[in-house]
Amino acid sequence: MNLEALVLGLFSGLRPGTSLAAVLALLKTPKPQRLLLFFTAAGFASSWAIGLVVVGVFHGANVAVGGSTLTAVLDVAFGAAALGFAAGLQRGWVQPTRRRSSSPSATAACSRFGRRLHNPSARAAAAAGIGTHLPGLIYLAALNAIASERPAPVDAGLQVAIYDALWFLVPLASLLLAVVRPGAPLAYLDAATAWVRRHEHAILVSASLVLGGYLVVKGTASLLT
């Protein structure tokens, strides 16, 4: 398993995001186990399938362009995007979802999202699992790292599945706890969410700076060698 993809998967699973809010909403429903199962299974299957397609595209492009060169260029591009995101957060040009929710349109969207997951159907829970785990910058960087090693199809599928398992760490842990100790995951996530809300800006800025700096340095070094 690619070490870079493992680290990025762990970061994706623990960073603040809409998935955490969705899991919290589902845990407050009368029977969260079934809904969390649909949420996790649908989201995992969707992200895994998309991941395989993207790895295939990156792998093919690596062969056509030259593996090390294309991987390095993508690393620099993803790193620059992460650094730009960090700068935008620091200067206030970009704001976390929680802060943007003060605007009327964002508040209405959050309200509709909350109402939809207040007592959702299995289909709505599955759609939320897919919608909250669409590929983003970190996922693409991890898939690029996986594709750079040109793995066989089975190996690629396994590596993408491991990344997704880390990405779904909170939903998977919540589902397991909801089955074994009903009521426990909600208490744990409430405490974790409170801490995240207090430190969200620092977490996002620091993580984006570290990720962006690492990718830019790695990609630049590869281009110069």
Side-chain angles (χ1 to χ4, degrees):
M1 178 67 189
N2 184 280
L3 179 59
E4 183 179 327
L6 282 174
V7 173
L8 291 175
L10 186 60
F11 172 67
S12 295
L14 298 178
R15 70 187 174 95
T18 53
S19 175
L20 178 59
V23 171
L24 276 171
L26 293 177
L27 285 172
K28 294 176 182 178
T29 59
K31 295 182 179 180
Q33 296 89 345
R34 177 171 176 268
L35 296 175
L36 280 170
L37 178 60
F38 278 95
F39 175 90
T40 305
F44 186 96
S46 173
S47 60
W48 182 74
I50 293 173
L52 285 183
V53 172
V54 174
V55 167
V57 171
F58 281 173
H59 189 178
N62 278 334
V63 173
V65 177
S68 59
T69 300
L70 179 62
T71 298
V73 169
L74 289 175
D75 280 339
V76 172
F78 293 145
L83 291 175
F85 180 71
L89 281 172
Q90 187 63 29
R91 292 185 171 272
W93 300 332
V94 179
Q95 294 183 351
T97 303
R98 179 173 59 87
R99 297 184 180 182
R100 291 200 306 266
S101 63
S102 57
S103 68
S105 60
T107 301
C110 290
S111 298
R112 287 195 299 270
F113 182 75
R115 285 196 301 269
R116 188 174 184 183
L117 294 182
H118 178 67
N119 189 21
S121 63
R123 180 178 297 180
I130 296 172
T132 56
H133 290 86
L134 296 175
L137 176 65
I138 298 173
Y139 197 19
L140 292 177
L143 295 177
N144 181 46
I146 293 173
S148 67
E149 298 181 346
R150 301 184 183 182
V154 174
D155 187 23
L158 179 60
Q159 292 195 54
V160 174
I162 292 173
Y163 175 92
D164 286 338
L166 293 171
W167 191 9
F168 280 80
L169 189 61
V170 170
L172 286 169
S174 299
L175 175 59
L176 179 61
L177 281 174
V179 172
V180 177
R181 295 181 58 191
L186 182 57
Y188 293 151
L189 278 183
D190 273 336
T193 302
W195 185 88
V196 165
R197 284 174 177 170
R198 291 194 301 268
H199 302 89
E200 182 178 13
H201 185 267
I203 292 172
L204 290 175
V205 171
S206 301
S208 298
L209 282 174
V210 171
L211 174 63
Y214 167 75
L215 290 175
V216 168
V217 170
K218 176 192 172 189
T220 302
S222 296
L223 289 174
L224 294 177
T225 56

